[in-house]
Amino acid sequence: MGARAVGIGVDGVNYHLTRLCRRLRAPNRTALVARAYVLGLLDPEAWPPEVAGPARRRGGAAGSNS
């Protein structure tokens, strides 16, 4: 999905990337993507990268009490 698909322009993309970099304490886009993988926010088994589902982000299966 690109910027056009969600209706934002270059400035909007840069705004959101800057906010994500600050929130995840990443100095640049490359570090942001790496940090997102480490935190489980992106699915390492998907290409192109996809947002990981809630179960993956919590570190276990959905509904588990671990």
Side-chain angles (χ1 to χ4, degrees):
M1 176 182 300
R4 288 184 190 160
V6 293
I8 61 175
V10 173
D11 289 338
V13 170
N14 288 331
Y15 169 80
H16 289 292
L17 285 171
T18 299
R19 296 226 354 138
L20 283 168
C21 282
R22 271 193 227 134
R23 178 170 274 185
L24 297 180
R25 296 185 180 127
N28 55 48
R29 292 179 185 197
T30 303
L32 177 64
V33 172
R35 180 87 33 100
Y37 276 114
V38 167
L39 294 174
L41 300 173
L42 294 175
D43 184 356
E45 297 175 8
W47 188 258
E50 295 177 1
V51 174
R56 182 176 292 277
R57 276 188 247 146
R58 279 187 261 131
S64 70
N65 293 329
S66 50

